[in-house]
C-alpha cells in the first residue's frame, strides 16, 4: 500500500570534535547558542518578541526584523560569554537559512556572514525544520547520563506555528517527507482557535493553560483522519469550534472557555498521536521523535510518553520553541559531513526540509 523507502543514506563517519555557534532569527525570536559535538549545550540565549507582537495578535514581520537588528549583536555576545568562549574557540557558524520571514532571516544571515568573514570561520546554512528535529537530542553539558543518540529509521512529527509534517528520517540529515498539513499548521490552529475563544497570543500556551480546568469530552469536535494518506487537516476542527462559539453566543450563553480549549486540544492530540504511531508501525521505525513549538504541549507529550510501543524523543520544554541551540546542533552534523557554504549564501524563506 505504501511505496518503498528510497533515500540516500549517509555513510557512518567518525564525528569530529567541534563547537558550533548557532544563530536563529527566522520569526520572532532572536537567538544564539553554542553546542559542542552536536549535542552538548554550552549556552543558549533567546530574546523573545512575544510581548511586542501580542498587541497585534500575531507576528508583525516589519516589527520583527527591526527588533532582530536591535538585539542580535548583544545576543550573540552573550551566548559566547555564557559559554566562556571567544570566537577563536568556535569551529563554525551555523545560521538559519529558511524557512521563515525573509526580513528576519536576513538579519541572522548577515550577522553570521560578518562573523564568518571576520573570524575566518566556515558558514553553514541550516534548515529551521531540521533544527527542530535536532533539538530532540540536545542535553545540558553537565548531564551525567546523556540521553541515547538517535536510532534510524525514525519517524519524526514536526509540529510548529508554520508546519505540521511527518518525515521518515533514515540517517543523519536524510529525510523523506510522508505528508503534511493541507491547511493550517497545528500551532497555527492553536493560535487561531485561541483567538476565537478569547485567549491571548501565542495560542498554544494559552489553550494549554485554559484546558487544565476543562473537560476534554465536553465537545465532540471532529478528528480529520485523512485515511490512506499521511496528511493532516485542521481547518474543519477550527470551523467546528467557530460554529460552536457562534451558537453559544447566539443563545447569550457565556463561553465555557476551559471546556472548549480542552476539547479542541484533545482532538488535535488524538489525530497527531494516532497518525504518527500508525506511520511508525508501517515504516518499522525504531523510535518516534516529536519536535517544534507544539511539542511543548503537555497533553501531547503525555500522550506520546505514556504509550509503550515506541521509544520517544521529545526536546526539553525550553528547546521546543525557536532557539539557536537546535540550529547549532543540526549545523554540527552538516559541518561533520563537510558542508561549507559560500559567503554569498542567500536566505530561502520557503525552504522545504525534503
Ligand atoms: O516552533 P515555533 O516556536 O515557531 C515556528 O517555527 O513556527 O512554534 C510556535 C508555535 C505557535 O503556534 C505556538 O502557539 C505553538 O508553537 N506552541 C504551543 C505550545 N507552545 C507553543 N502549542 C501548543 N501547546 C503549547 N504548550
Ligand atoms: Zn520553529
Amino acid at each position: 500500500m505504501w511505496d518503498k523507502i528510497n533515500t540516500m543514506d549517509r555513510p557512518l563517519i567518525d564525528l569530529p570534535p567541534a563547537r558550533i555557534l548557532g544563530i536563529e532569527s527566522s520569526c520572532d525570536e532572536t537567538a544564539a547558542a553554542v553546542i559542542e559535538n552536536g549535542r552538548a549545550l554550552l549556552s543558549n540565549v533567546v530574546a523573545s518578541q512575544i510581548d511586542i507582537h501580542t498587541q497585534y495578535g500575531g507576528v508583525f514581520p516589519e516589527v520583527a526584523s527591526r527588533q532582530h537588528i536591535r538585539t542580535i549583536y548583544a545576543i550573540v555576545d552573550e551566548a559566547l560569554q555564557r559559554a566562556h568562549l571567544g570566537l577563536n574557540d568556535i569551529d563554525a557558524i551555523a545560521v538559519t537559512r529558511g524557512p521563515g520571514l525573509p526580513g528576519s532571516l536576513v538579519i541572522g544571515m548577515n550577522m553570521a556572514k560578518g562573523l564568518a568573514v571576520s573570524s575566518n570561520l566556515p558558514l553553514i546554512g541550516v534548515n529551521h525544520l531540521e533544527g527542530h528535529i535536532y533539538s530532540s537530542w540536545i542535553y545540558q553539558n553537565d548531564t551525567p547520563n546523556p540521553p541515547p543518540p538517535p536510532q534510524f529509521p525514525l519517524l519524526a512529527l514536526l509540529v510548529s506555528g508554520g508546519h505540521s509534517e511527518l518525515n521518515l528520517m533514515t540517517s543523519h540529515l536524510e529525510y523523506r517527507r510522508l505528508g503534511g498539513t493541507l491547511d493550517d499548521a497545528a500551532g497555527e490552529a492553536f493560535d487561531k482557535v485561541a483567538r476565537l475563544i478569547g485567549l491571548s497570543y501565542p495560542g498554544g500556551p494559552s489553550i494549554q493553560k485554559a484546558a487544565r480546568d476543562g473537560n476534554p469530552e465536553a465537545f465532540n469536535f471532529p478528528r480529520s483522519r485523512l485515511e490512506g494518506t499521511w496528511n493532516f487537516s485542521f481547518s474543519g476542527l477550527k470551523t467546528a469550534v467557530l460554529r460552536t462559539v457562534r451558537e453559544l453566543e447566539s443563545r447569550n450563553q457565556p463561553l465555557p472557555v476551559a471546556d472548549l480549549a480542552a476539547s479542541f486540544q484533545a482532538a488535535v492530540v488524538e489525530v497527531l498521536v494516532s497518525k504518527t504511531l500508525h506511520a511508525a508501525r508501517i515504516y518499522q521505525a525504531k523510535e518516534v521523535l516529536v519536535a517544534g513549538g507544539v511539542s511543548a504541549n503537555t497533553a501531547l507529550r503525555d500522550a506520546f510518553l505514556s504509550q509503550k510501543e515506541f521509544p520517544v524523543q521529545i526536546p526539553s520544554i525550553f528547546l521546543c520553541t525557536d532557539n539557536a541551540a537546535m540550529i547549532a546542533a543540526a549545523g554540527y552534523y552538516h559541518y561533520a559531513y563537510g558542508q561549507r557554504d559560500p559567503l554569498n549564501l542567500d536566505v530561502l524563506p520557503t525552504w522545504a526540509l525534503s
Side-chain angles (χ1 to χ4, degrees):
M1 172 173 163
W2 308 105
D3 46 341
K4 290 248 174 340
I5 303 166
N6 181 22
T7 51
M8 194 190 71
D9 284 355
R10 298 256 163 174
L12 283 177
I13 57 166
D14 285 333
L15 293 169
R19 291 190 191 116
I20 310 292
L21 170 67
I23 298 177
E24 151 68 34
S25 69
S26 66
C27 191
D28 59 342
E29 263 95 26
T30 321
V34 182
I35 285 272
E36 192 167 60
N37 303 339
R39 296 183 63 202
L41 186 61
L42 302 189
S43 70
N44 182 44
V45 184
V46 182
S48 171
Q49 303 176 6
I50 282 180
D51 292 347
I52 299 170
H53 297 288
T54 298
Q55 57 185 305
Y56 306 111
V59 178
F60 195 134
E62 181 66 16
V63 174
S65 7
R66 286 184 195 195
Q67 194 59 24
H68 286 309
I69 292 175
R70 284 196 191 103
T71 51
I72 196 154
Y73 187 88
I75 296 297
V76 169
D77 203 34
E78 196 175 332
L80 288 169
Q81 279 190 33
R82 285 198 200 172
H84 306 291
L85 298 172
L87 277 170
N88 50 356
D89 303 306
I90 298 293
D91 296 282
I93 315 275
V95 61
T96 306
R97 190 181 180 195
L101 300 170
S104 291
L105 288 167
V106 164
I107 314 297
M109 179 59 82
N110 286 345
M111 181 76 194
K113 285 178 181 174
L115 292 172
V117 171
S118 63
S119 314
N120 201 20
L121 288 171
L123 174 74
I124 298 172
V126 172
N127 185 301
H128 179 87
L129 306 177
E130 184 164 57
H132 276 301
I133 287 180
Y134 276 84
S135 65
S136 310
W137 299 297
I138 295 173
Y139 57 83
Q140 294 286 355
N141 188 35
D142 49 11
T143 304
N145 299 311
Q151 298 181 73
F152 303 112
L154 64 83
L155 216 290
L157 170 70
L158 205 73
V159 269
S160 69
H163 295 83
S164 296
E165 43 182 76
L166 277 175
N167 277 276
L168 184 70
M169 190 174 178
T170 48
S171 66
H172 276 300
L173 312 177
E174 293 288 340
Y175 314 91
R176 170 161 165 217
R177 188 175 188 275
L178 302 180
T181 182
L182 300 180
D183 36 61
D184 293 337
E188 197 179 354
F190 270 95
D191 294 337
K192 288 179 176 170
V193 165
R195 201 182 307 183
L196 282 179
I197 61 177
L199 297 174
S200 62
Y201 174 85
S206 308
I207 287 192
Q208 175 175 310
K209 194 163 165 226
R212 263 191 243 143
D213 305 318
N215 173 7
E217 289 168 13
F219 298 93
N220 186 17
F221 289 134
R223 275 85 164 136
S224 172
R225 300 192 189 278
L226 304 179
E227 303 282 357
T229 78
W230 298 120
N231 293 326
F232 300 104
S233 166
F234 296 107
S235 68
L237 171 59
K238 186 185 63 190
T239 309
V241 178
L242 174 66
R243 235 185 275 123
T244 307
V245 168
R246 288 214 177 123
E247 204 179 303
L248 291 163
E249 283 174 346
S250 72
R251 286 193 255 129
N252 284 328
Q253 289 184 356
L255 281 188
V257 174
D259 285 348
L260 287 166
S263 304
F264 163 78
Q265 182 175 265
V268 175
V269 168
E270 193 190 313
V271 169
L272 291 177
V273 174
S274 63
K275 204 130 194 169
T276 305
L277 295 181
H278 185 197
R281 268 173 228 128
I282 296 287
Y283 287 99
Q284 300 179 345
K286 294 208 175 98
E287 62 185 40
V288 163
L289 179 158
V290 191
V294 180
S295 68
N297 185 273
T298 44
L300 185 69
R301 297 171 80 88
D302 291 348
F304 272 112
L305 293 171
S306 62
Q307 60 77 42
K308 298 286 169 253
E309 202 178 344
F310 294 96
V312 178
Q313 305 286 342
I314 307 187
S316 307
I317 300 258
F318 76 101
L319 292 173
C320 289
T321 46
D322 291 349
N323 63 82
M326 66 188 202
I327 302 303
Y332 166 80
Y333 289 90
H334 284 290
Y335 172 83
Y337 280 97
Q339 179 179 330
R340 306 289 183 266
D341 284 323
L343 286 170
N344 64 356
L345 188 72
D346 217 346
V347 298
L348 296 174
T350 58
W351 192 12
L353 179 61
S354 58

